Amino acid sequence: MLLVLAWRNIWRNRSRSLITMGAVMCFVLLATFTASIQKGVFENLIKNVVSLYSGHVQLHGKGYWEEQNLEHCFYYEDSLKQIVKSESGVLALAGRLESYALASSGDITTGCLAMGIEPAQEQTITHAEDKLVSGAYLEDEDQAVLVAEGLASRLNLGLGDTLILLSQGFYGSTAAAQYPIKGLLHFGSPELNKRVVYMPLAQAQNWLDAPGYASALAMALEPGAEPNEVARVLRAEVDTSVYEVMSWEELMPEVVQYIKADTGGMYIFLGVLYLLISFGIFSTLLMMFAERQREFGMLISLGMHKSKIALMVLMESITLTFAGALAGGALSLPFVLYFNRYPLRMDGEINEVYEQFGFEPIFPTSLEPSVFLIQAGLVFIVGFVLGLYPFWKIMRMDPVKAMRT
């Protein structure tokens, strides 16, 4: 009954109620879209870190991350694989042997990152095969390479052409070889798109004279698994004098710092929005209370309990804000869906900043349900808290004085 009365009271002043609901709706629309696009950007950053290169967690030789050369490689044995596979939360793993090299074709020479991979396992970590734009994916026994299309373009190479690689082998000798190009890759990261060469792990070990060795072991985790926790447990399982285990957050601290700084900025922005909408809702409640003091005084005099009147007014406040929040959430959904499918693409200085991080400069929105629920929930809380003021005033109301106003 009180809820029905509250709903009817809201529409006693239709214009004021619609203006208040509209203000709440616009606020929720803006707050939801802002939170969604920020979360989408962060999800895309993390996806780039994990699916383009590092994996959620990476194991490598002691000192390798500080000085990435073959001196810090480790023997890639089955016992190590079993230790990692048995760890709770680890979904897949892939060994790699990486080396910086000179890539050459005719008179053109440029630096590149040559990566020996386990083709099937790498697909589960970084979805390497999905990045093919032409050609075919690698097999374990292949004597061929996949080349990033930016690198191939710079060297004027295409499918079936021969790529010459020159590097330093495991024992310091010169490692030189030539391989046919089996496929071309496109990476979201502009930096990787200019430099990566993939080849089967066995081929890389033979080329670099490092049979049985790997420079890194990348891991993909099950949904919900915490990378830092998995890395911590693995450190207790392996010999830390030989191996290092790092989560993607430790591998890419600059990305973590960027996320924290940007999140802080968003909290300030949303805080200002919440403050503005709070004043709007509060002014509506004050006007409503001032206009209805005589009504409340008469109801109390006729025997209606103050608590019921106060609860009815609180319901009005909550219903008013919740209706606006529901409309704002529903209105934001088409925008979020559209920009999730067709992300904003940045140009100019922002583009350059993202390329320095090695990420594609796009701003997608996130479809995470929590984005919508959190904003609606916070507005609901704002309505409840602000509704406590008229609730408190009614509980202390003197009906005689109220009827004289």
Side-chain angles (χ1 to χ4, degrees):
M1 178 61 72
L2 289 178
L3 185 60
V4 174
L5 288 174
W7 179 254
R8 289 180 177 177
N9 287 334
I10 287 174
W11 298 110
R12 286 167 61 180
N13 192 324
R14 188 179 298 272
S15 298
R16 184 174 63 202
S17 297
L18 286 174
I19 290 172
T20 304
M21 287 183 185
V24 173
M25 180 188 70
C26 292
F27 162 75
V28 172
L29 171 62
L30 181 59
T32 300
F33 185 76
T34 301
S36 175
I37 201 166
Q38 188 198 48
K39 189 172 181 62
V41 169
F42 293 163
E43 288 175 351
N44 189 59
L45 287 179
I46 296 171
K47 179 183 176 182
N48 274 269
V49 171
V50 173
S51 68
L52 289 183
Y53 183 64
S54 72
H56 292 102
V57 179
Q58 189 176 114
L59 179 148
H60 45 253
K62 185 74 173 179
Y64 177 78
W65 194 245
E66 296 297 327
E67 190 177 354
Q68 298 184 25
N69 56 52
L70 296 180
E71 293 180 10
H72 300 292
C73 289
F74 59 89
Y75 194 70
Y76 188 35
E77 53 192 348
D78 290 337
S79 59
L80 178 62
K81 294 181 188 179
Q82 292 304 318
I83 291 174
V84 175
K85 284 181 179 179
S86 63
E87 175 56 40
S88 175
V90 175
L91 180 64
L93 54 92
R96 299 170 178 164
L97 182 60
E98 304 171 5
S99 177
Y100 292 100
L102 291 176
S104 177
S105 173
D107 297 330
I108 307 173
T109 300
T110 186
C112 72
L113 175 62
M115 297 177 57
I117 63 171
E118 298 177 288
Q121 290 87 332
E122 190 70 29
Q123 172 64 11
T124 63
I125 305 283
T126 63
H127 308 286
E129 187 174 4
D130 300 342
K131 298 175 176 64
L132 275 174
V133 291
S134 60
Y137 192 54
L138 293 173
E139 302 290 340
D140 289 332
E141 65 278 2
D142 280 342
Q143 294 293 314
V145 294
L146 302 179
V147 180
E149 61 178 359
L151 177 61
S153 177
R154 185 170 184 177
L155 295 173
N156 295 323
L157 294 174
L159 285 178
D161 291 339
T162 299
L163 175 70
I164 299 172
L165 294 175
L166 181 65
S167 185
Q168 185 178 45
F170 186 70
Y171 295 103
S173 59
T174 300
Q178 57 182 19
Y179 301 106
I181 297 176
K182 188 177 181 180
L184 297 178
L185 303 164
H186 173 76
F187 291 91
S189 164
E191 184 64 23
L192 291 180
N193 213 39
K194 298 174 184 176
R195 59 190 296 199
V196 168
V197 175
Y198 280 164
M199 64 180 69
L201 180 58
Q203 176 183 311
Q205 291 170 337
N206 181 63
W207 168 51
L208 296 170
D209 196 20
Y213 281 85
S215 55
L217 182 60
M219 295 164 242
L221 303 184
E222 296 174 352
E226 174 56 44
N228 287 321
E229 178 62 19
V230 173
R232 184 190 66 80
V233 174
L234 276 174
R235 289 189 197 106
E237 299 274 336
V238 300
D239 185 352
T240 53
S241 65
V242 178
Y243 306 107
E244 286 180 341
V245 182
M246 302 173 70
S247 68
W248 73 265
E249 295 176 9
E250 295 169 310
L251 293 169
M252 305 285 286
E254 64 275 15
V255 176
V256 177
Q257 290 301 317
Y258 169 74
I259 291 175
K260 288 181 178 179
D262 201 62
T263 300
M266 189 196 72
Y267 285 155
I268 294 173
F269 174 72
L270 291 180
V272 173
L273 285 181
Y274 277 113
L275 188 62
L276 291 174
I277 199 62
S278 295
F279 277 118
I281 297 172
F282 190 58
S283 63
T284 299
L285 294 176
L286 284 179
M287 286 188 291
M288 179 190 68
F289 178 76
E291 291 174 358
R292 297 168 63 189
Q293 283 193 75
R294 182 179 178 83
E295 172 192 335
F296 295 151
M298 291 181 63
L299 290 173
I300 295 170
S301 299
L302 291 172
M304 190 172 182
H305 290 293
K306 290 182 180 180
S307 59
K308 289 187 177 181
I309 299 174
L311 187 59
M312 179 183 66
V313 174
L314 181 62
M315 286 181 178
E316 292 175 20
S317 170
I318 293 173
T319 303
L320 196 66
T321 53
F322 184 72
L326 194 63
L331 189 61
S332 67
L333 186 59
F335 291 95
V336 172
L337 288 172
Y338 178 83
F339 287 105
N340 177 265
R341 188 175 180 84
Y342 305 104
L344 294 169
R345 292 187 174 272
M346 298 294 105
D347 295 316
E349 293 183 3
I350 295 180
N351 193 343
E352 294 175 4
V353 170
Y354 267 67
E355 287 197 5
Q356 288 177 3
F357 278 106
F359 303 130
E360 191 175 14
I362 62 173
F363 279 38
T365 52
S366 172
L367 298 178
E368 180 67 36
S370 62
V371 172
F372 300 90
L373 296 176
I374 287 174
Q375 301 308 320
L378 288 175
V379 173
F380 179 84
I381 292 172
V382 167
F384 177 80
V385 172
L386 294 178
L388 292 177
Y389 175 76
F391 183 96
W392 175 72
K393 292 288 287 184
I394 290 171
M395 293 301 293
R396 299 185 61 199
M397 180 177 285
D398 183 340
V400 176
K401 291 182 178 179
M403 286 187 292
R404 290 176 180 173
T405 56

